[in-house]
Amino acid sequence: MHSHHDHGHSHASHFDTHSRSFALAIGLNITFVAIEAIYGLLSGSLALLADAGHNLSDVLGLIMAWVASWLATRKATDRNTYGLKKSTILAALFNALFLIAAVGGIAWEAIRRFSEPTEVAGMTVIVVAGIGVLINGLTMMLFMKGQEGDLNIRGAFLHMAADTAVSVGVVIAGLVIMYTGENWIDPVVSLVIAAVIFIGTWQLLKDSLNLAVDAVPRNINPEDVFARLHQLPGIESVHHLHIWGLSTTENALTVHLVKPDPRDDDKVLQQASDMLAHDFNIQHVTIQWERVASKCPNMAYC
């Protein structure tokens, strides 16, 4: 009986790809927070000041996602034998919770405004919100490509998509209110935006929670992995199969394979590692051979 451990590629190249995006996004958004705060004070618009505060929380969310991406590139130590890759999962989870909290805040304020209608400042709000659409939209585009394969990047993307939606809503509500004088349009638009953000965030929250408790990542079917391992040459049975996310981009697997004939062990190990990396995006593989079938039933995750 012996085991094999295969380490995947470095997280560093992935970080380098997005580091520039994070730096640009944070710079743009801090500039926009300053613009909103200044014009909010000058125009006496509470809406602009509140949105500046909301955007500041988004900058913190971006910084958190960026720091987590950087931490994931740190080398493993005696204490942190997998490095700090898991920090990307925690950042995605906190970003999801931040977004849910923001939705609650938007909805609460909108409901309050139905009973206490507020005068919505006209052209200043529309112009500043228009700048917000451009800045948030541009930032969102920076993370569009990377969000498919990385939950941490998806958190950043959803943050900016939510901000873009809020800014678009403010522009639309502002224009309609200017032409109709109906102030109730503002809270209605806010509630629609809150619902859209909540729907987009719910999956991020579920996925990041699953990864935080070491569930099998959503894009991997454990039954397919089991079947493919069972098809390897000389394998009689498969058990103790465990699959989990090391980070928002890297996955790990441990498994016991019953293979009575020790010949070709190394060849089959290489075959298994290549197949798991290529077909299932599982880079960290630990396989233990057993020569005699154990009491653990086939397909069990015991």
Side-chain angles (χ1 to χ4, degrees), residues 67-99:
V67 168
S69 279
W70 173 75
L71 286 174
T73 66
R74 299 299 87 194
K75 286 186 169 65
T77 65
D78 291 347
R79 283 273 157 219
N80 302 103
T81 55
Y82 276 127
L84 295 169
K85 293 179 169 64
K86 208 92 172 176
S87 56
T88 55
I89 294 169
L90 294 176
L93 179 58
F94 284 130
N95 260 324
L97 293 171
F98 280 165
L99 278 163

Side-chain angles (χ1 to χ4, degrees), residues 75-292:
K75 286 186 169 65
T77 65
D78 291 347
R79 283 273 157 219
N80 302 103
T81 55
Y82 276 127
L84 295 169
K85 293 179 169 64
K86 208 92 172 176
S87 56
T88 55
I89 294 169
L90 294 176
L93 179 58
F94 284 130
N95 260 324
L97 293 171
F98 280 165
L99 278 163
I100 298 283
V103 166
I106 293 168
W108 178 264
E109 178 61 20
I111 290 162
R112 193 187 64 77
R113 284 194 176 194
F114 278 117
S115 56
E116 303 168 33
T118 314
E119 277 294 316
V120 178
M123 193 48 79
T124 306
V125 175
I126 292 168
V127 170
V128 175
I131 296 167
V133 173
L134 290 173
I135 289 178
N136 291 321
L138 178 63
T139 310
M140 180 182 80
M141 298 300 280
L142 291 173
F143 298 112
M144 187 172 268
K145 198 176 172 188
Q147 55 126 1
E148 292 302 320
D150 185 343
L151 213 57
N152 189 35
I153 301 298
R154 180 137 61 97
F157 172 79
L158 282 174
H159 248 127
M160 300 335 297
D163 276 2
T164 307
V166 170
S167 298
V168 169
V170 170
V171 172
I172 293 168
L175 287 169
V176 174
I177 290 163
M178 274 178 73
Y179 282 106
T180 65
E182 300 288 342
N183 280 325
W184 59 265
I185 290 160
D186 186 44
V188 168
V189 170
S190 295
L191 283 175
V192 171
I193 290 166
V196 170
I197 297 170
F198 182 79
I199 292 162
T201 306
W202 188 245
Q203 191 63 54
L204 174 70
L205 183 63
K206 279 202 313 187
D207 287 349
S208 51
L209 263 176
N210 273 334
L211 288 180
V213 297
D214 287 340
V216 177
R218 186 161 60 106
N219 55 353
I220 297 173
N221 183 337
E223 290 178 18
D224 290 347
V225 174
F226 172 85
R228 294 292 296 280
L229 288 169
H230 209 290
Q231 288 164 8
L232 290 167
I235 302 302
E236 275 192 6
S237 68
V238 178
H239 62 97
H240 278 85
L241 174 61
H242 300 285
I243 306 164
W244 70 99
L246 286 178
S247 71
T248 50
T249 56
E250 291 182 64
N251 303 308
L253 171 150
T254 61
V255 67
H256 290 207
L257 299 179
V258 178
K259 183 174 177 285
D261 187 348
R263 285 177 297 182
D264 292 333
D265 274 2
D266 290 344
K267 192 176 165 186
V268 176
L269 279 175
Q270 195 57 55
Q271 223 175 315
S273 297
D274 291 347
M275 176 271 290
L276 290 166
H278 183 268
D279 297 348
F280 297 101
N281 190 32
I282 299 172
Q283 302 88 355
H284 296 258
V285 176
T286 305
I287 293 172
Q288 181 166 314
W289 293 132
E290 290 180 9
R291 302 306 175 199
V292 184

